[in-house]
């Protein structure tokens, strides 16, 4: 992730405007009850990002967009809610993973305080997948949360959905 990208994400996350009611109801309409409860707990910047991704997926697939694919777009980053990191520490977490390597996520997650939260943040794909399993999500929704930062090849989400979801996710 480049500097431009990081700073765009950082400043974008400071947007103080509430999410529009019509966007909230659109999101809820795509989600199961347990998924709605999870989505509502996400930080506003994550809900805003998830809506942008889901709208792009909806546009790309049109009327053929399956509910579980839109749910995957809306909830792929749901695992971030455990670390509860604000924009500043998110940039720090991304930088730390670059320097120390992503393998540090597990050991960091076993510490306490800020390093634990950074570790949890870096593990958000696995943590999110776990939340979604417990919420009764469709297997595709769970799989996308778990695999959305993996290399494009070898995932379990079928085409064209994996590519559409990947291209719609701009972080
Ligand atoms: Fe993510
Ligand atoms: Fe994302």
């Amino acid at each position: 992730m480049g500097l431009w990208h990081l700073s765009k994400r950082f400043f974008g996350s400071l947007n103080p405007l509430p999410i529009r009611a019509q966007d909230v109801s659109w999101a809820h309409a795509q989600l199961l009850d347990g998924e709605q409860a999870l989505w509502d707990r996400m930080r506003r910047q994550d809900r805003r990002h998830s809506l942008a991704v889901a709208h792009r997926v909806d546009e790309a697939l049109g009327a053929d967009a399956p509910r579980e694919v839109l749910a995957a777009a809306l909830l792929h980053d749901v695992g971030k809610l455990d670390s509860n990191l604000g924009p500043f520490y998110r940039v720090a977490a991304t930088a730390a993973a670059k320097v120390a390597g992503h393998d540090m996520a597990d050991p960091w997650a076993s510490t306490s305080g800020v390093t634990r939260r950074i570790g949890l943040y870096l593990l958000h794909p696995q943590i999110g997948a776990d939340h979604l399993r417990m919420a009764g999500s469709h297997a595709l929704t769970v799989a996308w949360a778990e695999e959305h930062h993996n290399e494009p090849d070898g995932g379990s989400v079928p085409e064209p959905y994996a590519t559409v979801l990947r291209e719609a996710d701009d972080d």
Side-chain angles (χ1 to χ4, degrees):
M1 181 173 306
L3 241 195
W4 156 247
H5 201 113
L6 266 183
S7 53
K8 188 181 122 206
R9 202 175 70 178
F10 179 76
F11 289 108
S13 68
L14 303 179
N15 183 345
L17 296 176
I19 292 172
R20 295 180 307 172
Q22 70 208 74
D23 287 332
V24 174
S25 21
W26 183 82
H28 280 182
Q30 321 305 327
L31 300 174
L32 308 173
D33 288 351
E35 293 177 330
Q36 285 182 16
L38 282 174
W39 192 80
D40 289 343
R41 286 175 58 203
M42 285 163 58
R43 290 177 79 98
R44 186 172 51 203
Q45 70 185 98
D46 293 332
R47 275 176 287 143
R48 207 189 297 285
H49 164 68
S50 79
L51 279 164
V53 175
H55 283 307
R56 286 193 280 267
V57 169
D58 193 40
E59 253 164 52
L61 296 174
D64 297 333
R67 186 208 63 80
E68 61 270 22
V69 173
L70 294 172
L74 288 165
L75 290 163
H76 67 281
D77 280 328
V78 69
K80 290 182 179 177
L81 64 83
D82 291 77
S83 59
N84 197 26
L85 284 187
F88 176 77
Y89 279 115
R90 288 181 178 203
V91 172
T94 307
K98 258 209 163 115
V99 174
H102 206 277
D103 291 349
M104 292 307 292
D106 266 317
W108 281 341
S110 316
T111 60
S112 60
V114 156
T115 45
R116 169 167 165 77
R117 289 167 62 200
I118 288 177
L120 292 176
Y121 179 78
L122 297 172
L123 293 174
H124 76 266
Q126 291 77 18
I127 294 172
D130 222 48
H131 278 301
L132 294 171
R133 267 183 217 108
M134 288 189 284
S137 291
H138 189 283
L140 183 150
T141 310
V142 176
W144 183 249
E146 193 144 37
E147 298 169 9
H148 74 276
H149 287 295
N150 294 358
E151 293 303 316
D153 297 329
S156 64
V157 173
E159 294 298 345
Y161 305 129
T163 298
V164 167
L165 282 160
R166 189 176 305 282
E167 285 175 356
D169 191 3
D170 60 354
D171 71 354

